[in-house]
Every structure is written in C-alpha cells, then in structure tokens.
Amino acid sequence: MSIEILGNTFSHNARKVTWALEEVGASYEHTAVDLMSGAQKKPDFLALNPNGRVPVLKDGDFVLYESNAILFYIADKHGKLLPGDAEGRAQVWQWLAWQAADLAATCLDPWMMKLYASMGQPFDEAAHAEKVAAAKPPLTVLNGHLEGRKHVVGDALTVADIAIAESIGLCDFAGIDLTPYPAVRAWFAPLSERAAFKKTRPPQG
Ligand SMILES: N[C@@H](CCC(=O)N[C@@H](CS)C(=O)NCC(=O)O)C(=O)O
C-alpha cells in the first residue's frame, strides 16, 4: 500500500514531505485538503490530526502529523536523506528542531501578512517591519553555519536541508531581503533547481 499525504501545494510544511518523497523515489498519493474552506477543521480530518493542520501522512494504518516528524519517518523508512552515523543523524534532529522552534515563524509571519494584504486585508507596515526584523537572528545563525558548506549536515542532501529550505523559500514573498546572507542564498539556489523541488510547487499562472 502506498503512502498518502494529506496536504496542499500552497503549504510549505506539506511541501516539505512531498519534496522528500520525490527525492527518495517513493510512490505516494497526494490528497489536497482545501484549507481555505476549513476542511482541516472538519471531524474526519481532526480524527487524523487534532491540531487541524496539514500535512498528515497515512501509511497503511499508521498516521503521523508534524512535518518534521514525517520527514524523519520518510527518510528512515527509505534509508535515504539521513547520514549513516549517529552523530550525523543527531545533527539532522538538531536542525529540524531549530527550524521548527527558531526559524519557521520568523519567515511565516511576515509571509502571512503579505498574503492577507494580497487578498485585500489591511497591511500594517510597522508590524510587518517588526516581523521582518525578528528573522535576523536565525538567518544570521544559518548564514554562519552554511559558510563553506553545500549542505546543512554532512556532504549530501538530508531532510534538514529540505525543512529549512521550505522556510527560506518564503522569504522573497514575505519581504525578507536575503542579500545580507550570501551563504544562505548560495546554499538555497541549487536546492531550488532540483526536479523534486520544482515538481512539488503549486502550478504557475
Ligand atoms: N507544526 C506543524 C505546522 C503545520 C501548519 O501550520 N500547517 C498549516 C499550513 S503550512 C495549516 O495547515 N494551516 C491551516 C490552519 O492552521 O488552519 C507542522 O510542521 O506540520
């Protein structure tokens, strides 16, 4: 039985897991959850994830939510996108936890403000500038770490790259200027050219 992902191509958290599934060559089904209509708050979805958020993975009877836990499961199950040694796997965990705790909201919050503004809601420039400023500390940490590196951990793509790159991919629309972070830009550019990355974005136009 193949894996099912309940997601949405507009959700960067859901794209993390479809990107990883494409990278490992897994067969999977993607079920789009209509976030705008609130399908994620309906009882059938809440039975899978009581938080009412995508993504959710179903693998037979096994159900898992939290995108970074799903990333780890996909990588572990397929024996790919993780280093072979305990230290390397622990470092991947470190960066997955950091992405969720320190980076995610700082990229997402100004992105959401821009999204709501694009839908006609009022835009508070001062509040947006405050959110953008909050991204500086984690981006400085990431930039320092990536200096002289092609990957977040070790010398090959891992789920840590995928999780962090999905946050970094929000920066442009969010109005976060990445010019002061050249190592982040140099690391992100080839990732965004990968076939699996491109395949898992929303259709253009
Ligand atoms: N910590 C969760 C966050 C998931 C999340 O925030 N998903 C968003 C889309 S990116 C969502 O489903 N939003 C709809 C809602 O909250 O109603 C994860 O990493 O999976």
Side-chain angles (χ1 to χ4, degrees):
M1 185 179 294
S2 85
I3 288 172
E4 179 184 1
I5 299 297
L6 292 94
N8 188 302
T9 54
F10 288 95
S11 155
H12 70 295
N13 282 310
R15 288 193 304 256
K16 287 178 187 172
V17 306
T18 48
W19 178 4
L21 284 163
E22 291 289 337
E23 292 285 356
V24 302
S27 118
Y28 70 97
E29 285 168 41
H30 181 258
T31 303
V33 177
D34 186 352
L35 301 177
M36 297 308 265
S37 76
Q40 73 279 19
K41 307 297 185 204
K42 298 267 162 65
D44 56 339
F45 189 89
L46 292 173
L48 300 172
N49 180 358
N51 300 291
R53 296 200 178 104
V54 296
V56 169
L57 169 143
K58 282 165 84 176
D59 191 359
D61 291 336
F62 179 60
V63 176
L64 190 64
Y65 54 82
E66 282 302 322
S67 57
N68 288 355
I70 298 173
L71 280 181
F72 203 86
Y73 175 74
I74 292 166
D76 204 16
K77 178 166 175 152
H78 293 87
K80 293 178 180 168
L81 301 176
L82 278 179
D85 59 311
E87 286 88 350
R89 285 194 298 278
Q91 285 172 328
V92 165
W93 250 118
Q94 170 190 284
W95 285 105
L96 290 177
W98 177 84
Q99 186 274 334
D102 291 88
L103 181 67
T106 64
C107 299
L108 184 61
D109 290 353
W111 185 92
M112 292 295 287
M113 293 178 84
K114 289 274 189 173
L115 178 71
Y116 290 139
S118 76
M119 293 175 357
Q121 292 190 20
F123 181 68
D124 181 336
E125 256 182 57
H128 178 260
E130 217 170 278
K131 296 287 185 192
V132 167
K136 193 175 173 188
L139 288 174
T140 303
V141 167
L142 183 62
N143 195 69
H145 176 72
L146 287 172
E147 273 166 14
R149 291 173 199 267
K150 290 197 172 126
H151 297 285
V152 171
V153 177
D155 53 9
L157 183 78
T158 68
V159 286
D161 293 292
I162 291 176
I164 295 171
E166 282 296 347
S167 282
I168 296 303
L170 299 178
C171 289
D172 187 29
F173 182 80
I176 300 171
D177 178 17
L178 291 179
T179 310
Y181 312 104
V184 173
R185 288 165 56 219
W187 158 83
F188 181 72
L191 292 180
S192 66
E193 289 302 318
R194 295 180 76 91
F197 177 94
K198 290 186 173 175
K199 189 174 172 186
T200 47
R201 307 301 99 183
Q204 299 293 311

